[in-house]
Amino acid sequence: MIRAGFGQNVITPEVGAEMPGQIQKKISQGVHDDLLANAMVLDDGATQLVLAGVDALSIKRSTVLKARKRIEAATGIPAGHVLISASHTHHGGPTADVFMSESDPAYCDWVAEQVAQAAVEAYEKREKVRVIVGAGQESSVAFNRRFRMKNGKEQTHPGKGNPDIVRVAGPIDPMVGVIGAVTETCALLGCWVNYCCHATLGVGGNGFSADYIYYLRQTVRRAMGAHGAIVVFANGASADVTQVDNLTDRESEFGAHWGWHVGATVGAEAVKVLARMDYTDEAPLGCANEMLTLPLRDPGDAPSGQARGWGRQDAWERELELLKEIKKVEPDVTAEIQMMRIGRAGLVAVPAEYFCYYGLEIKANSPFTPTFAVSLANGCVGYVPTPQAFVGGGYEPRTARSSKLCPDAGDRIAEAAIRLLNS
């Protein structure tokens, strides 16, 4: 027998708070839809897991540790069995130190409390359920944003119809992962959805928004006739994957209507997985964690003019100076790699904006079918590109607080993830 419960809290800041995710500072001017902290608790009678999702650009390690401590004290669920991931909406609250934006410590503490309360609520609402763990495929709304150019270099978002494009330089991951819980009468209590695509559609304009995930949730709830169901979202290894198709000359894929298009399309695929009714009363649970120490690269090695074509030069220069100071105090970062087993499925969570290649590599070497990859989970160590990206160039490997690790960090994280899956 397996039991499940769901909880939810609103984490929308006051209008006027910063919205990190741009090179320049951006101040919120309204609310398109509330930001949420959602949680799902699974319990097989011996092991309990928490899968929580936060509508935010990223989540700090300190925020995760505070939330875990509160959850463990209230429920007895071990801290290491708690997964907290950020959706990566670029219209979230001030949770990140990136470019000209800085996090708000009071808001981060409040988010930790709201996540913990959502998890405790989910724990207290546990009931006997039937669980589906499955995956669909949706390849029409996400695109790799890196391209090999005629000059031999790689470029991020070279522009639609750019005649110098030779080919796409990276893959996408079309998997729509779903963990759903229904009652014996087939009423959907809630589900966890995993998809690989940046939440950069600008749904909120100048206001807060969960971005396309808002429409994904609406689609699932309406299609399943479960308006009170809670949908926990976890982004995949989407560091180089967005909704922009640079190989077409169609309109720019931004705004609420494009957010609806992406969210409804992915949500519809999640509904298809739920509707296949491949439910089970048994889903053995497990969890394992490994801590990696990863060195920062030398900010002094950043090429001069690395920011050319990417916004304000002063913002990039500021990043290098801040990173130099950080490296003096903390030359290495700690990255938690987390693996969960949910029945026949495996899940790997990493605290990074992880390149899509690595998510696919981990899945290809996993003994579990399906295997889900979650990025920006349990903290954030910044972009983790492939070694080839450092050679090719582009936005993601350019040195800043948001991209600071040694070039082999991605390989080391993947090796740890595969090791956990096979242990």
Side-chain angles (χ1 to χ4, degrees):
M1 181 187 75
I2 189 162
R3 294 189 293 167
F6 293 83
Q8 177 175 283
N9 274 318
V10 173
I11 58 167
T12 310
E14 293 291 330
V15 173
E18 290 187 28
M19 296 192 301
Q22 311 294 325
I23 292 179
Q24 67 278 6
K25 186 187 295 291
K26 188 170 184 178
I27 304 299
S28 60
Q29 298 179 23
V31 179
H32 177 275
D33 55 276
D34 273 321
L35 307 174
L36 302 175
N38 293 337
M40 174 186 196
V41 170
L42 294 171
D43 182 354
D44 68 358
T47 302
Q48 297 82 39
L49 302 176
V50 176
L51 285 78
V54 179
D55 291 337
L57 182 76
S58 61
I59 187 165
K60 285 180 171 290
R61 178 69 175 171
S62 57
T63 304
V64 170
L65 295 179
K66 288 174 184 176
R68 282 177 164 180
K69 183 177 180 179
R70 166 84 169 82
I71 292 166
E72 184 172 29
T75 67
I77 299 174
H81 287 207
V82 177
L83 188 166
I84 305 173
S85 64
S87 67
H88 202 50
T89 174
H90 282 49
H91 283 74
T95 61
D97 303 317
V98 55
F99 292 109
M100 304 304 284
S101 295
E102 303 299 329
S103 60
D104 180 340
Y107 178 69
C108 291
D109 287 347
W110 183 65
V111 168
E113 181 63 24
Q114 298 305 102
V115 172
Q117 287 182 11
V120 173
E121 177 187 352
Y123 178 81
E124 293 174 344
K125 288 184 175 180
R126 287 169 301 158
E127 62 179 281
K128 183 180 178 180
V129 297
R130 303 184 74 192
V131 171
I132 180 171
V133 182
Q137 300 283 310
E138 174 43 57
S139 60
S140 69
V141 296
F143 306 87
N144 198 287
R145 67 184 186 182
R146 292 176 57 83
F147 292 82
R148 177 67 59 85
M149 309 302 287
K150 288 181 179 178
N151 63 5
K153 295 292 186 179
E154 293 177 7
Q155 190 171 341
T156 306
H157 284 313
K160 288 178 174 290
N162 189 324
D164 292 332
I165 290 175
V166 176
R167 61 175 175 82
V168 180
I172 66 165
D173 183 351
M175 178 184 285
V176 180
V178 180
I179 305 170
V182 299
T183 66
E184 292 182 340
T185 59
C186 292
L188 179 69
L189 291 181
C191 61
W192 179 89
V193 178
N194 173 224
Y195 187 64
C196 176
C197 184
H198 258 65
T200 50
L201 286 101
V203 169
N206 290 320
F208 294 117
S209 173
D211 207 75
Y212 74 84
I213 297 121
Y214 167 68
Y215 295 104
L216 185 159
R217 291 173 177 146
Q218 281 191 332
T219 300
V220 172
R221 288 194 293 258
R222 290 172 178 174
M224 298 299 293
H227 297 286
I230 292 173
V231 180
V232 184
F233 180 79
N235 216 318
S238 60
D240 51 345
V241 177
T242 75
Q243 80 285 357
V244 178
D245 183 0
N246 284 278
L247 295 180
T248 71
D249 58 359
R250 70 184 182 189
E251 66 174 327
S252 181
E253 297 93 339
F254 292 93
H257 62 297
W258 275 103
W260 174 84
H261 168 66
V262 174
T265 302
V266 178
E269 188 63 25
V271 170
K272 286 170 62 178
V273 177
L274 291 167
R276 291 188 184 115
M277 298 297 290
D278 185 18
Y279 293 100
T280 178
D281 296 317
E282 301 292 336
L285 306 177
C287 187
N289 311 71
E290 182 173 334
M291 306 302 292
L292 294 180
T293 299
L294 302 170
L296 274 61
R297 59 183 182 265
D298 188 350
D301 291 340
S304 60
Q306 67 159 3
R308 192 172 295 115
W310 282 101
R312 294 168 47 176
Q313 183 68 32
D314 61 328
W316 287 88
E317 291 173 353
R318 176 176 182 266
E319 285 295 302
L320 289 178
E321 292 305 313
L322 289 170
L323 190 55
K324 289 176 184 177
E325 295 303 312
I326 291 171
K327 187 174 172 65
K328 290 178 184 177
V329 178
E330 188 180 14
D332 305 294
V333 300
T334 300
E336 177 187 350
I337 315 305
Q338 184 180 46
M339 178 268 173
M340 289 182 172
R341 177 194 178 186
I342 303 100
R344 62 186 177 85
L347 182 157
V348 168
V350 302
E353 277 200 74
Y354 209 29
F355 262 41
C356 186
Y357 164 84
Y358 285 120
L360 296 173
E361 184 75 5
I362 290 168
K363 293 179 180 184
N365 288 278
S366 170
F368 295 94
T369 303
T371 297
F372 308 128
V374 180
S375 65
L376 295 163
N378 304 322
C380 180
V381 296
Y383 274 111
V384 177
T386 60
Q388 171 55 38
F390 284 94
V391 175
Y395 166 71
E396 299 86 359
R398 296 181 180 185
T399 304
R401 286 181 296 172
S402 57
S403 182
K404 58 183 180 289
L405 298 185
C406 53
D408 69 342
D411 291 336
R412 294 167 66 173
I413 290 171
E415 289 167 2
I418 294 168
R419 186 164 56 245
L420 286 174
L421 286 164
N422 285 280
S423 66

